[in-house]
Amino acid sequence: MSTHAVSAHVRKPGWFTVQVLNRSVAWLTRRGVSVWGSRVLAVRGRKSGEWRTTPVNLLTVDGRRYLVAPRGHVQWTRNMRAAGGGELHLGKHVEEFTATEVTDDDKPAILRAYLKRWKAEVGIFFDGVGPDSPDTELRRIAPDHPVFRITAAN
């Protein structure tokens, strides 16, 4: 779990992101086409127990895989904390996994790698911090961006 109290900092995506980008990426990913590491995350709702899905970017750093929440403490991150894992879908391939939340102190290198790969897509959610920003800036924003290390269940 995060070493800092959970912030209420959440950035809502704009209309174009929700209606066009997310839907397009999810549509392609459901058909087996990964767009820059995209997957469809399925995680059980913490209250309903129903499966909830959202497109995510799967990041690999030093052989470990991570899910980063660029928009902050959103529903899928709350559900992930409660469920402790979920499924990643790419077409018909489904991978079950367990998730461990990364501490804020361990996030800078992961956030840097994430921004290096997807800044054009999600940079607006990082308050001007980019892949070339100093570690102090990455640590400053770390509490606002949950990161989960994922491990295949089998």
Side-chain angles (χ1 to χ4, degrees):
M1 180 97 167
S2 176
T3 56
H4 297 285
V6 173
S7 163
H9 186 251
V10 173
R11 292 268 177 107
K12 300 238 183 220
W15 180 89
F16 184 78
T17 299
V18 172
Q19 299 299 322
V20 179
L21 286 178
N22 281 359
R23 287 183 181 192
S24 298
V25 169
W27 187 86
L28 288 167
T29 304
R30 284 187 183 101
R31 280 146 187 83
V33 178
S34 177
V35 180
W36 283 78
S38 66
R39 300 290 189 276
V40 173
L41 169 67
V43 64
R44 294 243 183 224
R46 63 194 178 283
K47 296 176 184 173
S48 70
E50 299 289 322
W51 285 102
R52 305 293 184 200
T53 61
T54 190
V56 293
N57 293 322
L58 180 62
L59 175 68
T60 302
V61 177
D62 296 330
R64 292 187 173 168
R65 298 179 313 150
Y66 300 92
L67 294 176
V68 175
R71 292 176 185 92
H73 298 273
V74 294
Q75 294 302 322
W76 76 259
T77 63
R78 294 178 183 111
N79 291 337
M80 183 77 74
R81 286 184 189 110
E87 298 175 345
L88 290 175
H89 296 247
L90 179 59
K92 293 181 181 185
H93 178 75
V94 177
E95 177 189 359
E96 292 182 34
F97 68 88
T98 58
T100 305
E101 193 160 3
V102 175
T103 65
D104 291 341
D105 288 340
D106 292 332
K107 289 180 187 176
I110 299 162
L111 293 174
R112 184 180 308 286
Y114 189 84
L115 287 165
K116 189 173 282 189
R117 178 141 188 171
W118 290 292
K119 183 180 182 205
E121 179 184 340
V122 299
I124 188 119
F125 303 114
F126 287 86
D127 295 328
V129 176
D132 299 324
S133 295
D135 282 356
T136 54
E137 285 299 293
L138 290 160
R139 279 190 195 92
R140 178 182 63 78
I141 65 162
D144 294 328
H145 301 283
V147 175
F148 296 88
R149 186 182 48 171
I150 64 166
T151 306
N154 294 344

